[in-house]
Amino acid sequence: MTAFTYRGGTLCADNVALSAIAEQVGTPCYVYSAKRLRENYQNFCAPLASLSPLICYAVKACPNIAVIRTLAECGAGADVTSAGELERALAAGIKPEKIIFSGVGKTRDEIAAALKANIHQINVESISELRVISEVAHSLNITAPIALRVNPDVVANTHHKIATGEMGTKFGIDSTQLPEAMSLTRSLPALDLKGFHVHIGSHLFDYENFRDAYTKLADMVRYWREQGFDLTRLDLGGGVGITYDGQTQAPFADYASVVLGTVGNLGCAIAFEPGRFLVGDAGVLIARVVHDKQGEQKRFLIIDAGMNDLVRPAMYDARHSIMPVKENTTEAKAADVVGPVCETSDMFGEDYLLSGVGSGDLVAIMQAGAYAAAMASTYNGRALVPEVLVDGGSFRIIRRRISVKEQMEWETL
Ligand SMILES: *Cc1c(COP(=O)(O)O)cnc(C)c1O
C-alpha cells in the first residue's frame, strides 16, 4: 500500500492533505511518511528474518536526521560514506556498533573519527586504504574491525552512473589483487579482518545480478577459509530497486530467496545496506504550477521545483510519476513538466497526463524519498528546499527552507 492516496478528493500523505502542508510550508517542499518508512523497514526485514541480519540504512539516500531517527527507532543501523554522514547517524541516535563505513576515498581524519567512535566495521576498498587504516589504527592504539569490499565483476542491469560491481569501476578490490590484500590483513598491524562486502550498484531490478555476485562471494568465503582465514561476516550491500513510473520490480521475497540460496548457509553474520528501498516511495516533492505554457509544438507545465531540488531526471534519466494534488478525472491534455532553471535538462519528463492541472495548481512528484532532497542544491539562486515529516496524523518541518538571504550570510564580500 502506498502512503499517498486521495481522500475526499485531495492527495494525502497518510491522512494529512498535501495541500495543507503546501499552504503552511510553501512550495517546493519534500514530504515523507513516517508510517511508510516503518513499513518499508518491516518489509525488508520480514523475508530475511531467519538470518537475523544487521540492516544498515544507507544514509546517503536521505540523510535528514529525523528520517534516520525514524528508521533507527525500528532497529536500523547505518551505512555511512563520509565522516559527515557518521556524524548525522550518531546524532540521530544510531548506536556505533550498528554503523558501517563504506566509500573509496576515506581520509585519515575520517578513518580516525570512525575508529574513535568505535563503529561496527570499516569496509576497505583498496590496498592503499588498507595500509592507511592500519597506520591510523596503530597510532590510536585501536584494532580496526574491517571487511574487504570485493569487486565481483558482475554487470549490474541499471543506469551506468550507478553500476558499481564491474571490473574497471573505482569500487572494491579486484579479484586479482585480493590475495595481496588478504595477506596484508595478516602482516599489517591493528587490523581485524571480519569478512567481505559487496555492493554492485543501485536501483537493480534483475535479482540474477545479485545471484551472480553473492555466488562469487560464497565461493570466496569457502576458498579463503581453506587458507586459514576466520571469516565471520558478510555485508551484502544495498541496491534493490523500487517501482518508478512505468517500471516494475519483482517481489522482494525473490531477492530474499537469492540471498538465502547463495550465502544463507555459510554461518556468517549478514549485514545489508538498503537505501532506496527504505525511503524511495516514502517521499514526494510537492510543487506548484507557475505557468501553463502552450508553445507552438508542445504544452509545458512549468513548476516551481527545478533540477536543483530533484536532479534524478537530469542526472539518471529517471522518470517519476506525477499526480495532481486535487483529484480530477476529466480527460487530460499531455504536457511536458519542466522546472524554472535555465537548462534544457531541467525537465521532469515528457507527455504527462495530468487532468485538471493548470497555472496555480499543485502537483506531487512521486517516489521522491531517495537521492532527492539528499542531492538538492541552491543552483540558480534558489532557496534550499524544505522537508516535512508526516507522522501519526500531523506533520512537522524537519528541515526549514534556507533562503538566499541566509545563504549569502555564508559568504563575504
Ligand atoms: C549507495 C550505497 C548503498 C545504497 O544503495 P541503494 O541502491 O540506495 O540501496 C549501499 N551501500 C553502498 C556502499 C552504497 O554506496
Side-chain angles (χ1 to χ4, degrees), residues 58 60 79 102 149 197 199 201-203 238-240 273-276 371:
K60 76 179 193 285
D79 170 53
S102 306
R149 176 171 180 176
H197 168 226
H199 173 70
S202 191
H203 194 36
V240 176
E273 305 168 337
R276 190 186 312 268
Y371 309 104

Side-chain angles (χ1 to χ4, degrees), residues 3 8 37 57 111 156 175 232 252 265 268 272 279 309 320 348 352:
L37 291 171
Y57 166 51
I111 291 163
S175 56
T232 55
F252 182 70
N265 289 325
C268 286
F272 296 93
V279 295
D309 303 305
H320 292 250
F348 292 94
Y352 279 97

Side-chain angles (χ1 to χ4, degrees), residues 89-356:
L90 291 169
I94 296 201
K95 297 261 184 304
E97 62 265 27
K98 288 185 171 181
I99 298 180
I100 291 176
F101 190 3
S102 306
V104 295
K106 304 174 204 81
T107 64
R108 277 171 194 269
D109 286 349
E110 289 183 308
I111 291 163
L115 290 172
K116 285 182 196 160
N118 204 9
I119 67 167
H120 180 69
Q121 171 179 310
I122 300 181
N123 291 340
V124 185
E125 304 232 8
S126 63
I127 284 169
S128 162
E129 194 190 357
L130 206 52
R131 293 185 193 278
V132 173
I133 293 174
S134 167
E135 274 172 37
V136 175
H138 188 62
S139 72
L140 292 172
N141 209 7
I142 295 174
T143 301
I146 58 164
L148 296 184
R149 176 171 180 176
V150 292
N151 184 321
D153 195 22
V154 300
V155 178
N157 186 5
T158 186
H159 193 277
H160 69 94
K161 287 185 189 170
I162 47 176
T164 59
E166 273 171 72
M167 201 87 105
T169 64
K170 67 180 177 182
F171 298 97
I173 297 172
D174 294 335
S175 56
T176 49
Q177 295 176 356
L178 194 55
E180 185 187 350
M182 291 300 279
S183 70
L184 279 174
T185 64
R186 277 187 168 159
S187 59
L188 293 173
L191 297 177
D192 180 11
L193 177 68
K194 301 287 190 186
F196 294 131
H197 168 226
V198 284
H199 173 70
I200 58 172
S202 191
H203 194 36
L204 272 73
F205 13 168
D206 186 352
Y207 297 148
E208 291 309 304
N209 298 156
F210 289 111
R211 190 188 301 282
D212 292 348
Y214 298 165
T215 301
K216 288 187 180 180
L217 198 61
D219 290 343
M220 283 180 208
V221 171
R222 285 186 209 103
Y223 174 79
W224 288 104
R225 277 180 172 166
E226 278 167 25
Q227 314 307 309
F229 286 84
D230 182 23
L231 302 168
T232 55
R233 294 183 189 167
L234 283 181
D235 175 352
L236 301 182
V240 176
I242 63 165
T243 301
Y244 287 88
D245 196 46
Q247 285 178 315
T248 51
Q249 181 76 30
F252 182 70
D254 294 0
Y255 170 80
S257 24
V258 167
V259 170
L260 294 169
T262 50
V263 298
N265 289 325
L266 294 169
C268 286
I270 306 278
F272 296 93
E273 305 168 337
R276 190 186 312 268
F277 185 94
L278 298 182
V279 295
D281 72 353
V284 298
L285 174 60
I286 350 179
R288 198 176 287 282
V289 177
V290 184
H291 297 291
D292 183 348
K293 171 176 175 175
Q294 183 60 64
E296 189 54 41
Q297 295 173 1
K298 291 204 112 173
R299 176 183 173 219
F300 299 96
L301 287 172
I302 303 168
I303 61 175
D304 62 4
M307 64 188 289
N308 68 297
D309 303 305
L310 177 64
V311 79
R312 298 193 65 260
M315 184 123 116
Y316 306 120
D317 306 309
R319 185 178 169 104
H320 292 250
S321 42
I322 302 181
M323 293 167 77
V325 169
K326 195 156 177 270
E327 192 170 23
N328 189 305
T329 49
T330 59
E331 208 181 310
K333 186 166 165 242
D336 292 2
V337 177
V338 302
V341 171
C342 299
E343 287 202 20
T344 308
S345 63
D346 183 27
M347 134 105 86
F348 292 94
E350 291 186 292
D351 297 323
Y352 279 97
L353 293 168
L354 293 162
S355 32

